[in-house]
Every structure is written in C-alpha cells, then in structure tokens.
Amino acid sequence: QVQLVESGGGLVQTGGSLRLSCSASGIEFKIHAMGWYRQATGKQRELVAVISNGGRVTHYADSVNGRFTISRDNRENLVYLDMNNLKPGDTAGYYCVSDRTYDAIARQEGGIDYWGQGTQVTVSS
C-alpha cells in the first residue's frame, strides 16, 4: 500500500520556522515527483511547492517563494518543506503529494496519484 505520512506541523508565532517532513512507502520514490499542497479553512487548495524526481527542478507558489524550500532525500524516501518567516496567511493543512509526472503536481494535470493525510500548521499573530 502506498503511504505518505507527514509530520512536523504545529503552532508557531509569526516570523517563526517549521520543517515539515513526508515519509513515503509503497512507491519507487526516486521516479516520483513530490510536492506539497495546502488548504486553509474556507479556501481553495493550492500548490505550495513541487520537486522533480531527481531534485533538480523546483517550483513555488508566489506567496511562499523565498521563504519556503522543498528538498528530498532519495536514499531515505523523504521530502521536506522548510518554512521560514511564517505568516498568519500560511495557516493551513499541509499535504504531501506524489506523482510520476511532475506536471501533475505542478499544474494538476490528470490528477495527482497519491496524497498524504495532512499536517496542520497554525501561525499566530
């Protein structure tokens, strides 16, 4: 069974930092693009960041560009989201995603193969 398990969410003050982790199992991790989506209460789900299977290509939402960094460790089947200078607008459930096609995550083309259960990030004023 494919599982994507997120961890690292929590409550942080404005300006703080968090590292989210996603552990993948049941897939050949190194051939899958990985990414993070988030969804705030009452708002649409949006892409946060995506990384190619080899880790050499990334894309970020404009709202987080320069503050967040996505990375992966293909030896350990892990993907990370390092979040810095957090703002109240970053408050959302964060979901790890996986797909064989980079564009499926970056552009939601053809749907996304796998989703994690999410981890909550709350940024207080």
Side-chain angles (χ1 to χ4, degrees):
Q1 296 181 2
V2 176
Q3 288 191 337
L4 305 176
V5 181
E6 303 97 330
S7 61
L11 176 65
V12 65
Q13 293 184 343
T14 297
S17 299
L18 286 173
R19 167 174 262 202
L20 305 184
S21 299
C22 173
S23 177
S25 61
I27 61 170
E28 190 172 358
F29 185 78
K30 65 183 179 182
I31 68 169
H32 282 75
M34 303 293 296
W36 294 90
Y37 275 77
R38 69 184 183 186
Q39 186 167 25
T41 301
K43 296 185 177 180
Q44 291 184 328
R45 188 172 58 203
E46 64 177 353
L47 175 70
V48 178
V50 59
I51 187 167
S52 62
N53 58 0
R56 297 183 178 181
V57 181
T58 59
H59 176 75
Y60 299 90
D62 289 343
S63 59
V64 308
N65 193 35
R67 299 188 296 120
F68 291 11
T69 301
I70 188 170
S71 61
R72 64 190 296 159
D73 184 344
N74 283 357
R75 296 168 297 180
E76 301 293 336
N77 289 10
L78 291 170
V79 61
Y80 302 101
L81 185 68
D82 290 299
M83 305 183 293
N84 300 307
N85 190 210
L86 283 160
K87 303 175 180 180
D90 297 318
T91 296
Y94 284 72
Y95 298 86
C96 179
V97 299
S98 177
D99 201 283
R100 289 182 177 87
T101 302
Y102 179 90
D103 282 345
I105 299 172
R107 303 179 182 180
Q108 299 192 70
E109 294 181 350
I112 296 172
D113 287 342
Y114 307 112
W115 291 78
Q117 78 285 356
T119 186
Q120 178 67 32
V121 172
T122 302
V123 184
S124 62
S125 301

